[in-house]
Amino acid sequence: MPELKLKHIPLTPRIGSQLDIGRDELLSGDYAADIRKILVERGVVVIRDAHVDDDQLRHIAATLGEVRLGQSKRGADGVTLNEGEGGVLKVSLDPEINPQYARFLLGNHLWHMDGPYEAIPPFATLFTPYRMANVGGDTLFASTYAAYEDLPEEEKDFLAPLRAVHTMPASLFPSMRNVTPEEFAVWHSYPQAVRPLVWHHKSGRKSLVLGSAAAWIEGMHPAESHDLLQRLTLHATQDKYVYRHKWQAGDLAIWDNTGALHRVMPYDLASKREYHRCTLNGEEPITAVGRDHAVN
Ligand SMILES: [Fe+2]
């Protein structure tokens, strides 16, 4: 990595760094360029004792990129965005806190990336606890850059032309087996998206595009497709590519949604766990290996 003003301590060899920075420095924006570099390189960054409120969360997010806005608004690509009030979304499975989306968020228990249905998926998310779970509720992150980089060359060649179909039913059904026909109809109304299995980023780096929404590989026999996606997901989420974050009050975590999968571990719903998040707009479409970035 080029020379940085900001110090960071790796949390595991392949993913995750803790930043040596305080709230005032975060708010100043003076270190934003360095935070972005470390974030993309390390997949997730953690700041302990940040203790940011919603306004500060929004402000810090705006130093790092373009804050996503929108409440229950269907975008041009048919995807409904819900980014909460002024770009701060309250993430909770408690229907009292989150009446519209609590059940949808059950899908967060599975490995996923945010927004694979969107033409340009979100770049990054800032996440801070408002009320933590008593038991459980750790967040796990897996580096899809590192997982790709370690594949044998012949497998990289095999995967390069493949594309996966991402669907809302695939992402939600495994965590919501008691779905009602009405709910299923809502899931089904979401557009499917076909995305390259390997993302050739503008930076030149490549990552796997996986997650629970990846339902099947276009043009492949369903059984082979199922086995391939399962095998790649198990590969990408091995311990050596994963950072497990145990939350403390005041934490601020930021993850690169374009190079990492994430999931929350089960927790006691009575804890009324509530986190506040701010998401940054994506900056590039998922581009296949060998495709011109300008035309995809
Ligand atoms: Fe998510």
Side-chain angles (χ1 to χ4, degrees):
M1 216 182 301
E3 197 60 34
L4 299 168
K5 289 189 287 184
L6 181 60
K7 274 196 251 159
H8 68 104
I9 303 151
L11 295 163
T12 78
R14 305 298 293 274
I15 180 170
S17 276
Q18 185 170 330
L19 301 185
D20 182 18
I21 191 169
R23 184 177 56 200
D24 290 345
E25 292 163 306
L26 283 168
L27 287 164
S28 75
D30 291 348
Y31 295 87
D34 279 8
I35 295 171
R36 280 184 59 113
K37 280 185 201 138
I38 300 167
L39 174 62
V40 172
E41 183 67 29
R42 303 290 305 155
V44 50
V45 297
V46 173
I47 299 106
R48 297 285 192 188
D49 299 315
H51 295 282
V52 293
D53 63 22
D54 287 351
D55 281 340
Q56 291 164 336
L57 184 66
R58 213 178 273 120
H59 185 101
I60 294 163
T63 68
L64 297 171
E66 192 179 273
V67 176
R68 279 164 69 104
L69 299 169
Q71 275 184 285
S72 306
K73 185 183 77 188
R74 220 163 233 227
D77 47 14
V79 176
T80 303
L81 294 179
N82 177 31
E83 300 300 346
E85 229 179 288
V88 176
L89 181 68
K90 295 173 182 173
V91 177
S92 171
L93 293 176
D94 187 333
E96 278 177 28
I97 298 167
N98 201 350
Q100 253 185 310
Y101 287 90
R103 264 173 73 74
F104 260 80
L105 294 176
L106 286 167
N108 290 351
H109 288 302
L110 306 171
W111 284 113
H112 67 283
M113 68 176 286
D114 293 334
Y117 319 99
E118 296 171 50
I120 299 182
F123 162 49
T125 294
L126 294 84
F127 209 54
T128 189
Y130 182 81
R131 195 179 298 109
M132 291 185 294
N134 307 320
V135 179
D138 294 351
T139 304
L140 273 60
F141 303 93
S143 173
T144 49
Y145 279 124
Y148 176 80
E149 283 155 14
D150 286 358
L151 289 172
E153 288 306 314
E154 60 271 25
E155 175 133 39
K156 290 179 182 169
D157 292 343
F158 170 69
L159 299 178
L162 300 183
R163 304 198 307 168
V165 182
H166 294 252
T167 76
M168 189 62 84
S171 76
L172 293 179
F173 185 57
S175 55
M176 289 174 64
R177 299 288 183 177
N178 61 345
V179 61
T180 65
E182 293 75 25
E183 279 174 327
F184 193 84
V186 171
W187 300 353
H188 207 66
S189 74
Y190 273 71
Q192 297 180 347
V194 184
R195 302 286 177 239
L197 197 51
V198 179
W199 186 339
H200 190 177
H201 299 253
K202 275 192 297 195
S203 64
R205 292 178 80 197
K206 299 185 185 97
S207 64
L208 291 169
V209 181
L210 296 167
S212 53
W216 67 87
I217 304 291
E218 195 182 46
M220 189 177 278
H221 188 284
E224 286 175 28
S225 160
H226 173 265
D227 289 356
L228 176 61
L229 286 170
Q230 200 169 47
R231 182 168 61 75
L232 288 175
T233 303
L234 286 172
H235 164 73
T237 57
Q238 294 175 78
D239 286 351
K240 63 181 171 180
Y241 305 129
V242 170
Y243 167 62
R244 179 176 193 133
H245 187 66
K246 292 185 180 300
W247 294 96
Q248 295 173 10
D251 282 354
L252 172 64
I254 312 171
W255 70 86
D256 172 5
N257 183 58
T258 71
L261 297 172
H262 59 282
R263 73 186 300 184
V264 60
M265 299 313 282
Y267 57 89
D268 179 8
L269 288 184
S271 66
K272 294 187 177 289
R273 183 187 193 268
E274 178 181 335
Y275 281 56
H276 290 194
R277 102 175 182 198
C278 217
T279 298
L280 301 179
N281 276 330
E283 299 174 358
E284 60 177 302
I286 302 175
T287 303
V289 176
R291 290 287 298 275
D292 182 345
H293 284 99
V295 298
N296 190 10

